[in-house]
Amino acid sequence: MPCNARVLLLLLLSLILMAESRKLGSRRKRWSELEETLKPGKTLGETPDAVVLVGKTGLEAGMVNGPLSRKIIDGTKTRKLKTSHLLRVDEHDFTMRPAFAGPAVPVGVDVQVESLDSISEVDMDFTMTLYLRHYWKDERLAFPSATNKSMTFDGRLVKKIWVPDVFFVHSKRSFIHDTTTDNIMLRVFPDGHVLYSLRVTVTAACNMDFSRFPLDSQTCTLELESYAYTDEDLMLYWKSGDESLSTDDRISLSQFLIQKFHTTSRLAFYSSTGWYNRLYINFTLRRHIFFFLLQTYFPATLMVMLSWVSFWIDRRAVPARVSLGITTVLTMSTIITGVNASMPRVSYIKAVDIYLWVSFVFVFLSVLEYAAVNYLTTVRDGKDRKLREKLKEQSQTLPCTCGMPHTKTMMLDGMYSEADANSLAGYTRASMAAEDPSDKQEQMVVHLTLDNESTETKKKGIRSFRIIQNTHTIDTYSRMIFPGAYILFNLIYWCVYC
């Protein structure tokens, strides 16, 4: 190889080595400067190249730009920011309330109702999800702060300090939400004021009155009270009066209309422990009637109207009228059973019971009406048959009464009508004479002699029993009486309960 080529290679290698050594030196210099900057005692603002990324999420929060752009600055390593030292948790006994042996601790309360989940008539309870917030002052938690800003903690610090022991009176079940962590927030201010908030779902009893069901309104109450501290140790109060209770505008229930939310407070006395401050969350609910109109009232009314169809069916159509009556009775029984199955077994009469049972009585009376019509028709047919037989016998034995005064003649062909039979009232049969015996037609001439003495008395009795004797008249009157009575009942019912 020529000498010149070897000299060029050596020069290139030396230049490369010099460049790499310079890069390594500058790198070491930057590392040493950054380590000097991040020594204890220097704040983040003194670092010239450090910029905090504000508004980022995840691991980007707290990162710095520069050579260590992925290094997270942990402020908890500084002794000043330790909670136990800043709030002096270890220096006090937090098993005792603030100002122990002194005046009662005022604890303000406000509530935000997130949802009203369900109302159960059978169990007589309701389920509600809410944000419960407490406000009090504990001077033991006061800390120095140049900016006068509060500090926020999660549920882990709650176990180390004193918090009010508020519970829900008459609650059946309750729990604090714990997804993804316990839904508890604690905010401490430099002067010792504390905000304690938690998200809780509670199922509490509600004494309901169903005497006007389903046209009723229910008022339920959620009660808050301290379990251990009497009014001499802890004073519960609504922090902002009526404005302490706020609700979500989107709260709605399928069967109820929420009319009003309001707050009250009073003292509760226990004979063994004393007086306690109790807070009340009252809300009034009015039931929607349209569902029950479709499911209960309209079907019951239609069944009653269907039972009236039998009044227009011929009285001799026994299968049609009997099957119609039995069907309507059984349907009304099914409606009554279905309504009572979804209701608690109360010992008083509800408004819906009155309507359903009166409707059932109307349906049952329509069945009894046909039973009376059928029975009277059978009795009348038997009497008519006997009368025809007797007339046939008398037509052969009685002489003619031609020429006698006060007589009346009419033609009977064996199948006479009811009007003809009723026209016999007030007359006595004196004699009968048949026409030509050789005549094959079954026609008879009947001569009736008026009995002047018994005419007036017999007419009164026959008029009073004419409806019973004439079964067509019973159906005719039922077509007017039944609908009229039911319409009158509906007018009275809806005027009383609406």
Side-chain angles (χ1 to χ4, degrees):
M1 179 180 292
C3 182
N4 293 334
R6 292 179 181 178
V7 172
L8 288 174
L9 287 174
L10 289 174
L11 288 174
L12 288 173
L13 289 174
S14 61
L15 290 173
I16 292 172
L17 290 174
M18 288 175 63
E20 291 295 329
S21 63
R22 286 179 181 178
K23 289 182 181 179
L24 183 60
S26 62
R27 224 177 254 177
R28 286 178 180 176
K29 184 179 180 180
R30 283 198 295 253
W31 274 99
S32 61
E33 290 176 355
L34 188 59
E35 288 178 357
E36 186 68 21
T37 303
L38 296 178
K39 283 182 179 180
K42 289 194 176 183
T43 60
L44 188 62
E46 299 175 358
T47 306
D49 296 332
V51 178
V52 179
L53 300 180
V54 181
K56 299 292 184 179
T57 58
L59 294 175
E60 295 180 3
M63 292 182 181
V64 295
N65 291 331
L68 295 180
S69 59
R70 294 189 178 276
K71 182 161 181 72
I72 300 175
I73 297 177
D74 189 0
T76 60
K77 290 183 178 179
T78 306
R79 186 173 182 179
K80 291 182 180 179
L81 297 179
K82 284 189 176 180
T83 306
S84 59
H85 293 276
L86 184 63
L87 299 180
R88 296 173 298 180
V89 175
D90 299 333
E91 298 179 8
H92 302 280
D93 185 6
F94 283 96
T95 59
M96 295 183 293
R97 66 173 179 85
F100 185 75
V105 180
V107 177
V109 176
D110 68 32
V111 171
Q112 180 178 348
V113 179
E114 181 184 6
S115 64
L116 194 57
D117 301 326
S118 63
I119 306 290
S120 175
E121 291 88 356
V122 176
D123 298 327
M124 287 194 180
D125 58 23
F126 65 93
T127 302
M128 178 186 294
T129 300
L130 50 88
Y131 294 96
L132 179 61
R133 304 185 184 97
H134 309 77
Y135 302 85
W136 74 94
K137 184 177 182 181
D138 191 345
E139 295 181 355
R140 296 172 294 184
L141 297 176
F143 62 91
S145 175
T147 59
N148 198 29
K149 291 183 178 180
S150 62
M151 294 190 301
T152 303
F153 306 94
D154 57 13
R156 286 170 287 189
L157 184 61
V158 174
K159 300 178 181 179
K160 299 180 181 180
I161 65 172
W162 181 90
V163 293
D165 58 338
V166 175
F167 79 106
F168 297 100
V169 186
H170 305 308
S171 67
K172 298 181 178 180
R173 296 174 300 276
S174 61
F175 63 92
I176 299 174
H177 291 259
D178 55 359
T179 305
T180 58
T181 59
D182 292 339
N183 296 171
I184 298 175
M185 186 267 288
L186 188 72
R187 182 170 294 168
V188 183
F189 295 84
D191 59 353
H193 280 89
V194 181
L195 165 60
Y196 173 48
S197 176
L198 63 157
R199 181 169 174 254
V200 60
T201 295
V202 57
T203 300
C206 178
N207 295 325
M208 301 181 184
D209 182 14
F210 297 106
S211 57
R212 299 177 64 89
F213 175 88
L215 305 167
D216 58 334
S217 295
Q218 304 294 341
T219 299
C220 297
T221 302
L222 184 63
E223 306 173 10
L224 293 84
E225 183 182 303
S226 172
Y227 191 83
Y229 298 101
T230 63
D231 61 338
E232 297 179 355
D233 293 321
L234 190 145
M235 184 181 67
L236 282 178
Y237 68 97
W238 290 112
K239 187 175 184 297
S240 303
D242 292 336
E243 297 180 357
S244 300
L245 179 62
S246 59
T247 59
D248 194 339
D249 296 335
R250 295 174 296 178
I251 295 178
S252 62
L253 294 171
S254 59
Q255 289 191 25
F256 291 92
L257 173 65
I258 301 175
Q259 290 185 321
K260 182 174 61 174
F261 272 96
H262 66 281
T263 60
T264 55
S265 62
R266 63 175 66 101
L267 289 175
F269 177 73
Y270 298 91
S271 59
S272 57
T273 54
W275 293 89
Y276 293 82
N277 293 110
R278 182 176 294 182
L279 306 180
Y280 296 84
I281 302 173
N282 306 302
F283 56 95
T284 304
L285 307 172
R286 182 170 183 81
R287 197 183 305 273
H288 293 297
I289 187 61
F290 189 72
F291 171 80
F292 296 94
L293 288 176
L294 293 178
Q295 298 294 326
T296 304
Y297 287 96
F298 285 166
T301 304
L302 291 177
M303 287 301 105
V304 175
M305 296 174 66
L306 184 62
S307 67
W308 300 338
V309 176
S310 64
F311 302 151
W312 278 266
I313 300 177
D314 186 79
R315 66 185 185 278
R316 295 183 181 85
V318 177
R321 297 188 68 165
V322 169
S323 61
L324 182 61
I326 295 300
T327 301
T328 53
V329 168
L330 293 178
T331 305
M332 284 300 305
S333 300
T334 304
I335 294 175
I336 295 173
T337 304
V339 171
N340 291 328
S342 60
M343 294 296 299
R345 298 177 180 177
V346 295
S347 58
Y348 49 84
I349 298 176
K350 303 182 289 293
V352 68
D353 293 336
I354 296 176
Y355 192 90
L356 291 179
W357 280 105
V358 170
S359 300
F360 182 84
V361 169
F362 271 90
V363 172
F364 187 72
L365 287 178
S366 66
V367 178
L368 293 183
E369 187 270 348
Y370 175 64
V373 169
N374 187 54
Y375 174 75
L376 294 175
T377 301
T378 304
V379 172
R380 192 199 64 183
D381 291 343
K383 290 182 179 180
D384 292 344
R385 191 180 306 108
K386 291 180 181 179
L387 182 60
R388 286 195 300 270
E389 293 175 357
K390 187 178 293 185
L391 290 175
K392 289 181 180 179
E393 294 176 357
Q394 291 179 354
S395 64
Q396 298 176 0
T397 58
L398 293 177
C400 181
T401 58
C402 299
M404 293 183 65
H406 308 292
T407 61
K408 182 179 180 181
T409 304
M410 81 175 171
M411 298 298 296
L412 298 178
D413 59 355
M415 294 299 292
Y416 52 90
S417 63
E418 295 176 2
D420 296 331
N422 291 331
S423 64
L424 298 176
Y427 296 89
T428 56
R429 289 181 291 273
S431 62
M432 296 182 184
E435 290 184 349
D436 188 3
S438 62
D439 191 359
K440 295 182 180 180
Q441 296 181 352
E442 296 181 357
Q443 294 184 348
M444 296 175 292
V445 179
V446 181
H447 300 276
L448 301 175
T449 304
L450 179 64
D451 187 358
N452 294 324
E453 296 180 356
S454 61
T455 299
E456 295 180 359
T457 57
K458 288 185 177 181
K459 281 185 178 180
K460 293 180 181 179
I462 290 177
R463 285 176 182 175
S464 61
F465 291 100
R466 183 171 295 175
I467 296 177
I468 298 177
Q469 291 177 354
N470 191 351
T471 56
H472 287 291
T473 307
I474 296 177
D475 281 339
T476 303
Y477 278 89
S478 297
R479 295 169 191 172
M480 297 181 293
I481 293 175
F482 274 76
Y486 194 69
I487 291 173
L488 178 62
F489 161 72
N490 274 272
L491 291 175
I492 297 174
Y493 179 88
W494 294 109
C495 289
V496 170
Y497 287 103
C498 286

